[in-house]
Amino acid sequence: MSDLQNSVFLKACRREPVPYTPVWLMRQAGRYMKDYRALREKVPFIELCKNKDLAAEITVTAQRTLGVDAAIIFSDILLIVEPMGLSLNYLKGDGPSIRKTVRSARDVEAIPEIDPEKSLTFVLDAIRLARRSLPPDIPLIGFAGAPFTLASYMIEGGPSKDFEETKKLMYADVGAWKAFMEKIARATALYLDAQIRAGAQAVQIFDSWVGCLEPFEYEEYVLPYTAQVVREIGSKVPVIHFGTGTSAFLELMAKAGGDVIGVDHRIRLDEAWKRIGYDKAIQGNLDPLALCFSREDLLGQVEMILKYAGGRSGHIFNLGHGVLPETPLENVITLVDYVHSMTGKERLHV
């Protein structure tokens, strides 16, 4: 445990001085890897998520291949909707699809409270297996979707461009919205707490769709429920709070909570950190598309972000969103090595 607590990633989460800048990447295990694509040809995505041995193996292999400073459990934010009574499918080329959507107060009332220890055991078992297989100084990150992002998926039935049905419920029935978000927040906090007990050293809350909102909508309809999740987790492990399209309300996002605020690539890192406050660590924020650029252009962007970080304690290098499927693996390894070498670590990973 001392090796883990003194790891460069966890020290950065606590804004302690580190010998070099830690780096990990969202979707660091995924479709850009040849072995993963081969596995996906044989096993559907949802079955990979539910197979504890394969999920743990994918998690550990990605960390080992890339040389990153933290692993994140291979899973998906939507797995929690099945115990909440909704059906979940992953359609080839179209992403997740949820039937039996939530559109009314009656639908909200029908959603059961969940016990992650019983209904999401496969995720917790994968965490236990991955933790045992990872090096003793490499932390494991657990994660869940934020209440708004989960609610929007459950209302829309999948990804959405305008979130029309979500905003309809949000405005037309405030009572139903409040009950829905509170129910999701309780389930999410229980789920993350279970992941921590299973062996996660940090957790990340993904608010992937929250950027569709106006600042006043975020403050009124979202902030209290994300804050509820963070509050219920407490100070057991560092909490990373990540959202996309959040430049308009970063201050509010920081107010909602989290030890580390993850920012996307649509804002300069130095500006984002100033607005978030230096009492929080920051994670980000390379454009994922830069990993498809030439080596020279990629490293130029990496240098710029490190310059914006200014050597301040509490920067965790990551992307502004997940690794894209078309990304060359060698570029990802180059990125990790370059961040390490530029900030003080000897190039041990090749």
Side-chain angles (χ1 to χ4, degrees), residues 116-139:
E117 295 281 2
K118 294 179 180 178
S119 56
L120 292 159
T121 308
F122 52 90
V123 176
L124 308 181
D125 286 343
I127 288 173
R128 293 182 185 101
L129 288 171
R131 178 63 272 157
R132 288 201 292 268
S133 299
L134 285 166
D137 61 341
I138 296 296

Side-chain angles (χ1 to χ4, degrees), residues 17-170:
V18 291
Y20 58 91
T21 299
V23 53
W24 72 276
L25 307 174
M26 289 177 280
R27 292 186 191 150
Q28 62 190 23
R31 290 173 291 173
Y32 72 101
M33 289 184 163
K34 181 180 178 181
D35 290 345
Y36 176 82
R37 287 198 305 270
L39 190 58
R40 280 284 283 110
E41 289 294 321
K42 303 173 187 175
V43 186
F45 176 73
I46 197 164
E47 289 186 24
L48 281 183
C49 292
K50 292 183 176 182
N51 185 313
K52 64 182 187 299
D53 297 298
L54 289 177
E57 180 184 340
I58 293 167
T59 300
V60 174
T61 299
Q63 187 281 323
R64 185 185 301 125
T65 300
L66 303 178
V68 286
D69 298 292
I72 184 167
I73 193 65
F74 179 81
S75 188
D76 190 80
I77 64 169
L78 293 181
L79 297 177
I80 196 172
V81 308
E82 287 189 319
M84 299 178 85
L86 307 184
S87 64
L88 174 65
N89 291 291
Y90 290 87
L91 308 175
K92 192 170 184 179
D94 294 324
S97 174
I98 297 171
R99 295 201 307 274
K100 193 184 173 185
T101 52
V102 177
R103 298 284 174 88
S104 68
R106 181 177 294 180
D107 294 337
V108 172
E109 289 172 8
I111 295 172
E113 301 287 344
I114 72 165
D115 180 354
E117 295 281 2
K118 294 179 180 178
S119 56
L120 292 159
T121 308
F122 52 90
V123 176
L124 308 181
D125 286 343
I127 288 173
R128 293 182 185 101
L129 288 171
R131 178 63 272 157
R132 288 201 292 268
S133 299
L134 285 166
D137 61 341
I138 296 296
L140 177 61
I141 303 168
F143 69 90
F148 177 80
T149 290
L150 290 174
S152 66
Y153 266 116
M154 294 166 77
I155 294 167
E156 302 289 342
S160 174
K161 292 181 180 179
D162 52 24
F163 298 90
E164 178 182 355
E165 296 298 333
T166 302
K167 291 194 175 187
K168 276 183 182 177
L169 181 62
M170 195 168 74

Side-chain angles (χ1 to χ4, degrees), residues 11 69 105 129 239 332:
K11 290 181 78 169
D69 298 292
L129 288 171
V239 175
V332 182

Side-chain angles (χ1 to χ4, degrees), residues 308-333:
Y308 292 151
R312 187 185 300 274
S313 297
H315 177 219
I316 298 161
F317 199 101
N318 207 310
L319 305 179
H321 207 194
V323 181
L324 299 171
E326 60 270 26
T327 302
L329 174 61
E330 59 269 23
N331 283 8
V332 182
I333 295 173

Side-chain angles (χ1 to χ4, degrees), residues 247-267:
S247 300
F249 47 81
L250 275 177
E251 296 87 349
L252 293 171
M253 190 175 167
K255 184 180 176 182
D259 303 283
V260 185
I261 304 299
V263 295
D264 70 13
H265 49 283
R266 299 172 182 89
I267 185 171

